[in-house]
Amino acid sequence: MGINDKIAFNLQEFMKKNNISANTIAKVGKVTPSTITRFLSREIKSLNIETIQKIADFYKEPMGSFIQELKDTNRNNAEIITGSDIAYISFYRDIGVSAGKGLDWDSDGQILSFPIPLSFLHSKGIAPENALIVKVNGDSMAPTLNDNDLVVIDKNFSLSLNGVYVIKDNINGLRVKRLDKDKDGNLKVISDNKNYETQIYTIEEMQDETITILGKVTAKIAGV
């Protein structure tokens, strides 16, 4: 059974268990009822991951309830399934990107592979080999990013104003924050949750790698 077949099976079982009609699921996912019925009957090969995310968010269900296809891997590179729209992206399950005080990056942590449609990655302008998935911990980026959200990171990025990035420094560890620059060129590290203060890193601190920018957050996936 392929990944899309499993998603269709899991979605159908979820609908049966909770007595949810195709019309209701379609409204939640913001698609037509025929899209849902044709996907469940496998007339349509795949369902947009953003549709699945909307359904998961609405019912407060983890994405894993529908996907259930995480698998162990020793690779750091994406695996593209020949003849399908699926790429398995490295997902560091045992570590997180803190949206609060920060966590240390443990490169020896358990790596899993998370199935992501290639079309989804391409729509975000990410090459599969540059994609990485990590989990958000904390509330400092709420409501943009919430605790346990998964974020897709582009390791091949260009720094733009008012973007969200994964950063690391010697004091706070690994964090996800909004970055901008002030009029003097200093780096502003901003939390979307206004209960957290903005931090400033000087040009000198950026040059001596007191703070390192590891990747740009390009998409959010509902938590697992």
Side-chain angles (χ1 to χ4, degrees):
M1 183 183 292
I3 177 64
N4 286 303
D5 295 321
K6 289 183 180 179
I7 293 173
F9 176 81
N10 292 335
L11 179 59
Q12 194 163 43
E13 289 298 301
F14 175 79
M15 291 167 61
K16 287 180 181 177
K17 178 181 177 182
N18 295 280
N19 195 27
I20 300 170
S21 68
N23 284 346
T24 300
I25 282 288
K27 288 179 182 178
V28 170
K30 300 189 184 305
V31 294
T32 63
S34 65
T35 297
I36 296 298
T37 55
R38 292 178 66 200
F39 174 68
L40 294 178
S41 65
R42 308 309 296 120
E43 293 178 44
I44 297 176
K45 291 184 178 180
S46 63
L47 196 63
N48 193 306
I49 195 170
E50 291 174 325
T51 300
I52 301 170
Q53 180 179 327
K54 288 172 185 174
I55 295 169
D57 283 345
F58 183 87
Y59 291 106
K60 296 180 172 56
E61 284 287 318
M63 283 284 279
S65 296
F66 302 107
I67 293 180
Q68 293 181 343
E69 187 69 9
L70 296 179
K71 62 180 184 178
D72 294 321
T73 180
N74 294 317
R75 296 181 303 274
N76 287 314
N77 297 320
E79 175 192 3
I80 298 174
I81 305 302
T82 304
S84 80
D85 183 45
I86 297 298
Y88 282 92
I89 305 301
S90 294
F91 166 42
Y92 288 79
R93 184 179 67 179
D94 295 335
I95 63 170
V97 177
S98 177
K101 296 181 180 179
L103 295 173
D104 288 331
W105 179 274
D106 179 8
S107 60
D108 295 325
Q110 184 179 7
I111 303 174
L112 299 175
S113 284
F114 194 99
I116 295 287
L118 282 169
S119 54
F120 177 78
L121 294 175
H122 292 159
S123 72
K124 302 298 181 181
I126 315 170
E129 62 270 19
N130 294 324
L132 184 69
I133 296 175
V134 290
K135 185 173 69 173
V136 172
N137 291 276
D139 65 350
S140 79
M141 285 300 291
T144 306
L145 297 173
N146 297 303
D147 190 38
N148 288 326
D149 280 344
L150 302 184
V151 289
V152 182
I153 298 167
D154 188 355
K155 296 182 289 183
N156 182 30
F157 64 93
S158 58
L159 184 62
S160 58
L161 297 181
N162 200 32
V164 180
Y165 295 83
V166 174
I167 61 174
K168 183 178 181 181
D169 63 52
N170 296 329
I171 297 175
N172 297 292
L174 196 69
R175 294 178 292 163
V176 56
K177 294 289 182 181
R178 189 174 301 280
L179 301 183
D180 206 342
K181 289 188 178 181
D182 64 18
K183 59 183 178 61
D184 297 318
N186 298 315
L187 188 68
K188 297 167 65 177
V189 178
I190 305 164
S191 299
D192 285 3
N193 184 338
K194 301 308 178 185
N195 292 323
Y196 292 78
E197 295 182 357
T198 295
Q199 294 178 295
I200 303 292
Y201 288 85
T202 65
I203 296 174
E204 290 75 19
E205 288 175 317
M206 288 188 286
Q207 290 175 341
D208 68 12
E209 297 185 347
T210 298
I211 180 172
T212 305
I213 304 170
L214 300 177
K216 184 174 184 178
V217 176
T218 56
K220 178 181 78 170
I221 305 173
V224 295

